């Protein structure tokens, strides 16, 4: 679809269309789950929409049964058959509270290998789209699939692989293969029209344009695009026009209009005429007041001289719009009289007036900043989307990325930050440029000194866009952003929110923090994400994170660095949370928390006595703030003291059976 979702900097709950593949998103409202992170709601909204418009292709039932029975299905189908859409819907139907959707990207920078067990979390829904892979990539992926399938089985996850159409599948994997065939084109078109709100009595009647369109076997994306054209033709049609006219307008919009637009531009010799033509194409559907002000801004941006005529001798806007085949509707919004004429105009000026390109970015952000009630978020997003579309259409992703960075550095308003976020979102969503933008964002986050408000923009892009389908990549980028924050801020909050939704991601972050010897910024991140509640929670699996050997090693390493390198006032509140959790948890997991703290202090070498004393003092302080009352906290302090004595060789290893101090702190 041509309509883009919107991204709000101040509200991470806004709807966003993310990811590549056969997903066609309508910007209509969906019921939101306010208690879930934004990136989880985004992914679920996308998949919910896709599930509504998908016509189950032949083979879908067999694929569903295979996935339910084995946890794995390998889809094979011709390009355009809807195989990727089918894969996403299959995973949507497997969604559980304990897992996240994750699109695997083997070979990309900082991505885990397919055979790495850390790639799969409990209940995850994994998509491995290799529909465009070459022979080398497909062969390498097949070699790793047995190990990946083993991890999927152990974690009760689900994996859907989309294999290349001309790929050869290993005999050991043939059992999991299901062939997906193209569903009937007319049925697909009608489903999209129905979801778009088209009257049943209209789209069910016979129509010559529709008959001609569905007579050709077309990709599912092309059918969806045509349905969207029919929808937009209906929205701009006269009251006396019906389905046949809407479809005819959609058909005309699919024609190549390059010569037509070139002839139109050649006949418009004056700068104000061309400025108006460009403005209407970039702000198509905006209110006439916005069109007028934006046209004046474009002329100023291009330093076009004034004609010097008195105001009342100027042509009025209605006359000027007629000259470019546009008009103002009853609601005051301006559109070209021909459907999708705006796209042809944009392409013409971008391709044939290259010196105009750098000025369009400056002009666009000045329009975004306009203080006008008609300059709504939809108008701003539409303008950025259309400008980004020209950069991406012509392979100039670097130019779009630089533009978003410049807007963020020069930002004096929230609207500019929103525009920068939306520009980067367009790049990430583009199938041809998504990988480039993911890599560029990595370089920004890891290796660049970010000026202005660009770090805030990258936080929102990582948390609300990238995390929806590539949470591992979002994790690493947010880690770097949090690492560079001068004090705990939005990056650390977003990182904390991200790992809160996934045991696997929390495990991976802890491993990252501990692996290279925690630095001072690492310790700040660790104290934020070492919440003992998710570490000891076993509601989704038989074993809690704190019971895993590798997690214990990471926690001990980080706590050792904290005790050795930070003042007690800094880590005391976090240690108190561990002690309170240990007091509340009557199972062995609570005692494990104490063991890890003591083990961390024991590694402090010559300063271990100081570390033990600091832990004991912290336990005494924690007794006064224990939410469950002092009794269990006093017992926890005694148990901690016993473990410290054992570690120092000062007492028996036998655990004390009762409290000798009663309930007084």
């Amino acid at each position: 679809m041509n309509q883009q979702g919107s991204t709000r900097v101040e509200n991470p709950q806004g709807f966003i269309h993310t990811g590549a593949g056969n997903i066609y998103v309508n910007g209509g409202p969906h019921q939101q789950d306010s208690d879930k992170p934004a990136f989880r709601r985004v992914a679920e909204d996308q998949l919910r929409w896709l599930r509504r418009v998908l016509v189950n292709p032949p083979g879908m039932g067999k694929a569903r049964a295979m996935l339910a029975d084995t946890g794995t299905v390998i889809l094979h189908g011709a390009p355009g058959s809807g195989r990727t859409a089918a894969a996403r819907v299959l995973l949507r139907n497997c969604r559980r509270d304990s897992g996240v959707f994750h699109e695997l990207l083997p070979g990309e920078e900082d991505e885990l290998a397919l055979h790495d067990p850390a790639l799969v979390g409990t209940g995850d829904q994994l998509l491995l789209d290799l529909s465009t892979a070459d022979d080398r990539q497909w062969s390498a992926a097949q070699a790793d699939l047995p190990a990946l399938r083993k991890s999927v089985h152990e974690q009760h996850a689900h994996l859907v692989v989309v294999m290349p159409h001309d790929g050869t599948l290993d005999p050991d994997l043939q059992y999991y293969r299901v062939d997906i065939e193209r569903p009937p084109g007319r049925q697909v078109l009608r489903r999209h029209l129905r979801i778009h709100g088209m009257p049943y009595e209209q789209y069910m009647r016979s129509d010559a344009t529709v008959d001609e369109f569905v007579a050709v076997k077309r990709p599912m994306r092309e059918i969806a695009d045509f349905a969207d054209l029919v929808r937009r033709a209906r929205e701009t049609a006269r009251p006396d026009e019906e389905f046949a006219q809407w479809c005819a307008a959609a058909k005309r919009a699919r024609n190549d209009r390059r010569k037509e637009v070139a002839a139109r531009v050649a006949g418009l010799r004056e700068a104000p005429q061309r400025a108006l033509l460009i403005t209407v194409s970039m702000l198509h559907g905006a209110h006439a007041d916005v069109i007028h002000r934006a046209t004046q801004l474009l002329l100023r941006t291009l330093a076009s001289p004034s004609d010097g005529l008195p105001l009342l001798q100027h042509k009025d806007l209605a006359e000027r719009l007629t000259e470019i085949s546009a008009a103002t509707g009853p609601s005051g919004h301006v559109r070209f009289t021909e459907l999708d004429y705006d796209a042809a105009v944009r392409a013409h000026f971008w391709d044939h007036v290259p010196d105009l390109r750098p000025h369009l970015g400056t002009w666009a952000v000045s329009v975004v900043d306009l203080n006008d009630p008609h300059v709504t978020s939809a108008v701003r997003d539409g303008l950025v989307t259309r400008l980004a579309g020209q950069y991406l259409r012509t392979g100039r992703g670097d130019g779009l990325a630089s533009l978003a960075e410049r807007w963020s550095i020069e930002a004096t308003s929230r609207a500019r930050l929103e525009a920068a976020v939306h520009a980067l979102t367009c790049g990430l969503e583009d199938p041809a440029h998504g990988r480039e933008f993911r890599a560029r964002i990595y370089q920004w986050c890891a290796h660049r000194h970010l000026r202005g408000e660009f770090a805030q923009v990258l936080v929102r892009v990582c948390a609300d866009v990238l995390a929806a389908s590539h949470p591992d990549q979002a994790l690493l980028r947010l880690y770097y952003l949090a690492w560079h924050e001068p004090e705990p801020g939005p990056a650390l909050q977003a990182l904390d929110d991200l790992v809160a939704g996934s045991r696997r991601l929390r495990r991976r972050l802890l491993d990252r923090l501990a692996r290279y010897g925690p630095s001072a910024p690492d310790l700040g991140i660790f104290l934020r994400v070492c919440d003992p509640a998710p570490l000891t929670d076993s509601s989704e699996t038989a074993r809690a994170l704190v019971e895993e050997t590798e997690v214990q090693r990471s926690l001990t390493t980080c706590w050792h660095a904290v005790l050795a390198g930070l003042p007690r006032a800094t880590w005391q509140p976090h240690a108190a949370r561990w002690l309170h959790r240990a007091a509340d948890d009557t199972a062995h997991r609570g005692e494990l928390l104490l063991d890890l703290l003591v083990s961390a202090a024991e590694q402090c070498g010559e300063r271990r006595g100081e570390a033990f004393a600091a832990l004991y003092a912290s336990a005494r302080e924690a007794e006064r703030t224990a939410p469950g009352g002092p009794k269990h906290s006093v017992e926890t302090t005694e148990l901690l003291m016993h473990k410290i004595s054992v570690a120092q060789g000062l007492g028996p290893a036998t655990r004390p059976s009762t409290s000798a101090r009663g309930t007084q702190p």
Side-chain angles (χ1 to χ4, degrees):
M1 286 180 59
N2 296 324
Q3 183 178 354
Q4 292 282 346
S6 63
T7 305
R8 302 270 69 76
V9 172
E10 78 278 13
N11 177 14
Q13 298 177 8
F15 181 81
I16 306 168
H17 174 203
T18 63
N22 297 327
I23 295 184
Y24 309 96
V25 179
N26 189 332
H30 295 289
Q31 183 178 356
Q32 302 288 349
D33 299 321
S34 59
D35 61 329
K36 292 183 179 179
F39 40 84
R40 287 291 300 276
R41 293 197 308 273
V42 166
E44 290 171 9
D45 280 345
Q46 281 190 343
L47 294 172
R48 186 181 297 115
W49 167 258
L50 183 58
R51 187 181 183 186
R52 292 178 65 200
V53 299
L54 181 74
V55 174
N56 285 341
M60 188 69 166
K62 181 179 179 182
R64 188 179 294 112
M66 177 66 70
L67 187 61
D69 184 46
T70 68
T72 300
V73 65
I74 301 174
L75 299 184
H76 175 266
S81 61
R83 52 192 172 159
T84 304
R88 293 177 181 271
V89 170
L90 285 168
L91 291 172
R92 166 67 175 82
N93 293 337
C94 296
R95 180 180 59 84
R96 296 187 298 179
D97 292 337
S98 60
V100 297
F101 174 81
H102 184 190
E103 184 173 355
L104 306 180
L105 299 170
E108 280 203 18
E109 185 178 17
D110 71 281
E111 277 286 306
L112 294 174
L114 293 180
H115 60 260
D116 193 327
L119 192 65
V120 186
T122 304
D124 281 356
Q125 306 100 51
L126 307 175
L127 171 62
L128 180 57
D129 184 2
L130 296 170
S131 56
T132 60
D134 57 30
D135 291 342
R136 180 189 60 80
Q137 293 168 326
W138 175 231
S139 177
Q142 285 197 85
D144 286 339
L145 277 180
L148 176 59
R149 285 196 58 254
K150 181 175 183 293
S151 298
V152 166
H153 177 74
E154 291 173 348
Q155 296 295 335
H156 304 287
H158 293 86
L159 168 68
V160 178
V161 181
V162 184
M163 65 176 289
H165 177 53
D166 54 355
T168 302
L169 192 61
D170 290 346
D172 292 345
L173 297 171
Q174 285 288 350
Y175 175 77
Y176 305 98
R177 169 174 164 165
V178 174
D179 289 321
I180 293 293
E181 299 178 13
R182 179 183 177 277
R186 188 183 300 274
Q187 188 177 351
V188 173
L189 178 62
R190 286 176 173 175
R191 173 68 63 83
H192 278 272
L193 293 175
R194 177 169 68 83
I195 300 301
H196 283 316
M198 204 71 61
Y200 174 84
E201 62 276 8
Q202 294 276 3
Y203 67 74
M204 287 302 294
R205 70 178 56 168
S206 177
D207 179 79
T209 303
V210 171
D211 292 342
E212 178 185 351
F213 179 80
V214 300
V216 179
K217 285 190 174 182
R218 304 179 187 274
M220 297 297 101
R221 181 186 295 275
E222 193 172 328
I223 297 175
D225 288 342
F226 182 75
D228 187 59
L229 285 172
V230 176
R231 174 190 65 81
R232 290 190 284 124
R234 178 198 181 199
E235 292 175 353
T236 58
R238 298 190 307 269
D240 60 332
E241 293 182 338
E242 293 189 347
F243 186 68
Q245 287 78 26
W246 307 336
C247 293
K251 177 183 177 181
R252 290 194 301 272
R254 289 168 48 83
N255 297 332
D256 187 351
R257 286 200 164 112
R258 286 179 295 182
K259 291 183 179 180
E260 180 185 347
V261 170
R264 167 75 65 181
V265 173
L268 301 172
R269 308 305 304 178
E270 299 177 5
Q273 292 176 312
R274 293 187 173 187
L276 182 62
L277 186 65
I278 295 169
T279 300
V280 173
S281 74
M282 297 295 291
L283 289 163
H284 199 247
H287 194 273
D289 290 353
V290 178
I291 297 295
H292 172 72
R293 293 186 64 184
T295 303
Q296 298 304 312
L297 280 175
L298 181 57
L299 289 169
R300 265 185 248 139
T301 302
L302 298 174
S304 297
S306 171
D307 57 16
L309 292 175
L311 177 62
L312 293 180
Q313 290 186 25
H314 289 152
K315 298 175 182 178
D316 64 24
L317 185 59
E319 182 179 357
R320 294 164 59 207
L321 289 173
T322 300
E323 292 174 349
I324 64 170
S325 297
T328 304
S331 62
H333 296 269
V334 177
R335 293 181 174 86
F336 288 112
T337 54
E338 285 291 326
L339 187 64
D340 257 19
Y341 193 79
D342 57 310
V345 172
R346 290 193 296 273
H348 174 85
F349 278 101
W350 187 270
D351 293 345
H352 300 294
V353 192
D355 291 341
L356 178 65
R357 296 170 189 168
H359 298 289
L360 287 178
T362 303
W363 166 75
V365 80
S366 66
V367 174
V368 162
D369 268 340
L370 281 176
N371 183 18
D372 188 299
H374 296 296
V375 182
T376 63
S377 60
V379 169
R380 294 187 181 101
D381 288 343
L383 173 59
V384 174
T385 297
R386 294 177 184 117
L387 179 60
Q390 297 309 306
Y391 278 102
L392 299 171
R393 179 182 64 84
T394 54
R396 300 179 180 273
D398 56 338
L400 177 60
S402 298
L403 186 64
E405 184 177 15
R406 176 158 61 88
W407 286 351
S408 305
I409 294 172
E410 300 171 352
T412 57
S413 67
R414 179 173 289 167
R416 288 195 179 207
L417 295 181
E418 292 173 358
V421 171
H422 197 69
L424 293 178
T425 299
C426 291
L428 286 170
E429 290 179 353
D430 188 81
H433 294 86
R435 179 169 184 165
E436 170 193 346
F437 272 79
R438 290 192 294 270
R440 188 178 298 274
I441 290 171
Y442 175 85
Q443 294 299 321
W444 275 326
C445 295
H447 304 301
R448 289 282 295 276
H449 173 68
L450 305 177
R451 296 180 293 158
E453 301 295 330
F454 195 37
Q456 180 184 353
V457 167
L458 292 177
V459 169
R460 290 271 58 83
V461 169
C462 292
D464 289 350
V465 183
L466 193 59
S469 55
H470 306 99
D472 287 67
Q473 293 203 2
L475 176 80
L476 191 57
R477 287 152 180 76
L478 288 172
Y479 160 76
Y480 283 124
L481 290 171
W483 201 92
H484 290 296
E485 280 184 329
E487 57 185 27
L492 183 54
Q493 179 63 56
L495 183 61
D496 193 20
D497 290 342
L498 178 60
V499 300
S502 171
R503 287 164 44 92
R504 182 181 66 83
L505 294 178
R506 188 181 298 276
R507 182 191 300 112
R508 189 174 182 191
L509 178 58
L510 290 171
D511 176 72
R512 176 81 188 190
L513 292 170
R515 178 171 296 181
Y516 305 109
S519 61
D522 287 328
L523 298 183
I525 296 172
F526 169 71
L527 290 177
R528 181 63 174 268
V529 302
C530 71
D531 184 354
L535 291 173
T536 56
D537 179 32
S538 61
S539 60
E540 299 171 358
T541 182
R543 189 168 64 154
L545 276 173
V546 75
E547 297 175 283
E548 298 179 10
T549 303
E550 292 300 321
V551 173
Q552 291 176 5
R553 185 177 295 115
S554 298
L555 291 170
T556 302
T557 299
C558 290
W559 266 118
H560 164 245
V562 166
L563 296 175
L566 297 181
R568 189 166 74 87
T570 300
W571 54 261
Q572 156 66 29
H574 305 280
R577 294 169 67 186
W578 275 51
L579 294 162
H580 292 160
R581 184 69 177 182
D584 292 340
D585 195 334
T586 57
H588 69 283
R589 299 184 188 94
E591 187 170 346
L592 264 177
L593 296 177
L594 302 182
D595 289 334
L596 294 175
L597 291 175
V598 172
S599 178
E602 190 175 10
Q603 295 180 16
C604 289
E606 295 180 355
R607 298 185 57 191
R608 70 174 190 160
E610 296 177 29
F612 285 140
L615 275 181
Y616 179 71
S618 296
R620 293 300 304 273
E621 289 186 28
E623 292 174 7
R624 295 195 292 269
T625 57
K631 181 178 185 298
H632 290 304
S633 291
V634 169
E635 293 175 356
T636 299
T637 301
E638 293 179 350
L639 180 57
L640 176 68
M641 189 61 197
H642 166 72
K643 292 179 179 294
I644 290 174
S645 298
V646 172
Q648 293 180 308
L650 301 177
T654 306
R655 173 178 173 175
S657 59
T658 59
S659 172
R661 294 173 53 209
T663 61
Q664 297 300 316

